């Protein structure tokens, strides 16, 4: 393990030089981005929402960084060495870096960040369990820190590149308080905070003191536009330069492609969609009913008819980019007669009610849900669709266990590792698992987190996927491409698979 860690450190050192290219003389222009959701807080420990990361990746840095090519490279750490059979990681930190408020970045800031994440403040949010292997951090000197683990975590270095692991300023938070930090973020990234108006937008500007490649634009503005048709109209009118996923409905792609001033840019994505089941209440408490509903829906036909080639069918709650994907896992086929048999066997009377909860602003998924409801009608279930404002659904209805029989769940799987999805979806007590508690599933999820043998760990992740499918914990639907709408005035834009856009390389005419 030590030898492997030393090789990792040498590779990291070699790559570090590539991130320190000379800066342009000055930045020019404003890039305006349409995002479908206001996360409500800019604190890294408060969220796991993709639409947080699409903004905050420009404000914050992690110890590591993963860009559009999905390769892990140095961030605020210039190198790292894995020691003590995976129970300690030593990070050499980048010198001469400052936070946007002028506060110096050093080992104390790293220790503060993870003490906070693993402490009471982090306990309030959804991120802490993702970093559960971290026991404590030890400051060796101003620019060296040891991360001590309770057990090895083979995905930890990737996790350090996003979300809860973003490094935050100790002095700034101590002086201003947590509530102020939520709405006035400060990091070390290429753009610094200017202003934030809830439900309206957030404005950033280029940070001249950034340690890496200086931004080529002077201003970066995000507008929160939840209605897809409005976002596309603003793109057509030139008031928005970039529309990020999952805003653009499949049905509007031809409209964008016909406009000579804008374009559609897509890339493969880890984002998957499913209708998850309420396994604790109502008729979907019965596994036979859940399987009947899966048998009763022709998911491939829905993909072909609604998604226009921009998605592929999934069997488990992950796509092919995910470590743990099992190509041998077969989906339950479309078989309405089998569905009716299972419903009768479970004692479900014809006309039984089923409620499907979805995000109200996701017009593409609305079409998918309507198709699902129509198929369920055919097998004798009275399916109704209840939309919610996105933040209400994600922050109240699902976590508090107030859904109907089925609810929309989309997941980016940004680590490209099934652990990041499966642990949040299936482990007892997690925010996105309000209904189910399965000791066998918990044991499987916990066991693979401590294994450094990737072959063995992949076997367990595939077992988890098969077990979830066997219990029919969700109706797997599709793996959707990342679809961006882009103005032709935007140059050097590279679509990313996980929507974690860092926009310092982009320029505008």
């Amino acid at each position: 393990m030590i030898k492997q860690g030393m090789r990792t450190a040498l590779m990291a050192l070699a790559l570090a030089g590539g991130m320190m290219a000379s800066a342009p003389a000055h930045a020019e222009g404003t890039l305006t981005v349409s995002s479908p959701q206001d996360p409500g807080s800019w604190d890294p420990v408060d969220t796991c929402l993709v639409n947080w990361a699409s903004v905050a990746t420009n404000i914050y840095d992690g110890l590591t960084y993963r860009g559009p090519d999905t390769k892990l490279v140095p961030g605020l750490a210039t190198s790292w060495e894995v020691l003590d059979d995976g129970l300690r990681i030593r990070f050499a930190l980048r010198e001469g870096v400052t936070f946007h408020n002028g506060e110096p970045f050093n080992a104390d800031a790293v220790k503060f960040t993870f003490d906070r994440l693993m402490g009471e403040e982090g306990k309030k949010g959804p991120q802490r369990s993702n970093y559960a292997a971290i026991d404590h951090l030890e400051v060796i000197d101003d620019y060296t820190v040891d991360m001590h683990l309770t057990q090895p975590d083979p995905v930890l270095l990737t996790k350090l590149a996003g979300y809860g692991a973003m490094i935050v300023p100790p002095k700034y938070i101590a002086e201003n308080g947590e509530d102020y930090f939520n709405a006035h973020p400060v990091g070390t990234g290429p753009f610094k905070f200017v202003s934030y108006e809830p439900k309206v937008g957030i404005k950033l500007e280029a940070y001249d003191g950034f340690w890496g490649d200086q931004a080529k634009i002077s201003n970066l503005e995000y507008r929160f536009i939840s209605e897809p048709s409005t976002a596309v109209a603003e793109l057509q009118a030139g008031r928005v330069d970039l529309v990020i996923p999952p805003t653009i409905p499949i049905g509007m792609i031809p409209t964008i492609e016909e406009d000579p001033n804008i374009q559609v840019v897509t890339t493969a994505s880890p984002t998957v969609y499913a209708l998850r089941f309420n396994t604790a209440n109502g008729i979907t408490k019965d596994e036979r009913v859940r399987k009947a509903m899966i048998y009763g829906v022709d998911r491939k036909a829905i993909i072909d008819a609604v998604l226009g080639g921009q998605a592929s069918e999934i069997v488990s709650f992950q796509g092919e980019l995910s470590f743990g994907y099992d190509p041998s896992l077969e989906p339950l086929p479309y078989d309405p007669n089998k569905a009716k048999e299972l419903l009768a066997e479970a004692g479900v009377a014809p006309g039984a009610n089923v409620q499907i909860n979805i995000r109200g602003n996701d017009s593409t998924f609305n079409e998918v849900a309507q198709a699902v409801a129509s198929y369920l009608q055919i097998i004798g279930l009275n399916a109704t669709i209840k939309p919610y404002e996105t933040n209400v659904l994600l922050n109240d209805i699902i976590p508090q266990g107030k859904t109907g029989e089925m609810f929309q769940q989309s997941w980016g799987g940004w680590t490209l590792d099934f652990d990041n999805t499966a642990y949040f979806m299936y482990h007892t007590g997690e925010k996105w698992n309000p209904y189910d508690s399965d000791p066998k599933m918990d044991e499987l999820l916990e066991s693979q987190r401590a294994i450094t043998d990737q072959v063995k760990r992949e076997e367990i992740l595939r077992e988890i996927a098969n077990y979830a499918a066997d219990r029919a914990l969700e109706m797997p639907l599709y793996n959707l491409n990342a679809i961006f709408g882009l103005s032709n005035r935007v140059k050097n834009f590279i679509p990313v698979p996980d929507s974690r856009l860092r926009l310092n390389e982009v320029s505008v005419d």
Side-chain angles (χ1 to χ4, degrees), residues 269-272 312 314 316-325 479:
S269 162
T271 301
V272 287
S312 56
I314 57 173
S316 60
F317 202 28
Q318 60 183 321
E320 292 186 14
L321 291 176
S322 171
F323 181 79
Y325 175 79
N479 178 193

Side-chain angles (χ1 to χ4, degrees), residues 454-467:
Q454 292 292 68
V455 173
K456 178 62 176 175
R457 200 171 75 84
E458 186 174 37
E459 289 177 3
I460 298 174
L461 288 174
R462 289 182 173 183
E463 184 179 354
I464 290 168
N466 278 265
Y467 186 56

Side-chain angles (χ1 to χ4, degrees), residues 472-498:
L473 296 179
E474 64 259 326
M475 180 187 291
L477 293 173
Y478 53 86
N479 178 193
L480 186 67
N481 287 345
I483 305 170
F484 300 85
L486 187 68
S487 167
N488 290 345
R489 71 186 288 266
V490 179
K491 307 302 178 185
N492 203 34
F493 172 76
I494 300 175
V496 295
D498 56 10

Side-chain angles (χ1 to χ4, degrees), residues 94-264:
R94 196 175 296 278
E95 299 185 29
V97 176
T98 59
F99 289 97
H100 301 150
N101 65 331
E103 187 176 339
F105 161 77
N106 52 32
D108 287 335
V110 176
K111 185 177 189 309
F112 171 83
T113 294
F114 287 96
D115 286 351
R116 181 173 178 267
L117 171 62
M118 305 312 294
E120 289 304 309
E121 191 62 30
K123 188 177 181 180
K124 300 174 186 176
Q127 280 294 336
R128 193 167 69 165
S129 66
N130 218 13
Y131 304 89
I134 299 173
D135 183 71
H136 68 280
L137 269 77
E138 177 188 3
V139 172
I140 306 303
D141 58 41
D142 283 351
Y143 295 101
T144 309
V145 65
D146 281 2
M147 183 175 286
H148 294 266
L149 310 180
T150 58
Q151 62 184 31
D153 182 345
V155 196
L156 182 59
L157 288 170
T158 298
K159 294 174 186 175
L160 297 181
Y163 295 95
M166 298 292 92
I167 305 302
V168 298
K171 184 178 178 182
Y172 178 81
I173 293 175
E175 290 177 348
N176 295 283
E178 299 289 352
D179 290 342
Y180 186 84
F181 180 59
N182 289 348
H184 302 79
V186 165
T188 60
F191 292 90
K192 65 180 182 179
F193 171 80
V194 175
S195 65
Y196 166 54
E197 186 175 353
K199 308 295 184 183
V200 177
I202 184 170
K203 295 182 179 182
L204 313 176
E205 66 181 16
Y207 176 47
D208 292 337
F210 179 54
W211 56 268
D213 292 332
Q214 292 287 309
K216 294 179 171 60
I217 51 174
S218 55
N219 297 286
L220 176 57
E221 300 183 3
Y222 288 79
R223 293 173 55 192
F224 304 130
I225 304 175
S226 60
E227 176 54 49
S229 60
T230 302
V232 173
E234 291 294 277
L235 179 66
Q236 290 178 303
R239 291 186 288 269
V240 161
D241 302 304
L242 172 63
V243 179
I244 62 176
T247 302
I248 295 176
I250 301 296
M252 296 193 76
I253 290 178
T255 300
I256 296 173
E257 291 177 334
E258 290 169 4
D259 190 320
N261 298 313
I262 58 178
Q263 58 183 303
V264 171

Side-chain angles (χ1 to χ4, degrees), residues 268-285:
S269 162
T271 301
V272 287
Y273 287 74
L275 282 170
R276 303 193 67 214
F277 290 112
N278 180 339
T279 60
N281 309 297
I283 63 172
T284 48
K285 185 176 181 179

Side-chain angles (χ1 to χ4, degrees), residues 275-281 283-294 315-316 329 332 425-428 433 435-442 444-445 463-476:
L275 282 170
R276 303 193 67 214
F277 290 112
N278 180 339
T279 60
N281 309 297
I283 63 172
T284 48
K285 185 176 181 179
D286 191 319
E287 183 181 303
R288 294 169 297 181
V289 175
R290 302 196 297 269
K291 288 185 175 178
M293 295 169 76
I294 298 173
V315 182
S316 60
L329 185 58
L332 294 182
M425 296 300 121
Y426 307 136
H427 195 280
T428 300
N433 179 28
Y435 299 117
D436 207 63
S437 180
D438 185 332
K440 178 180 176 180
M441 179 66 86
D442 289 349
L444 287 169
L445 289 165
E463 184 179 354
I464 290 168
N466 278 265
Y467 186 56
D470 186 59
R471 288 199 55 217
L473 296 179
E474 64 259 326
M475 180 187 291

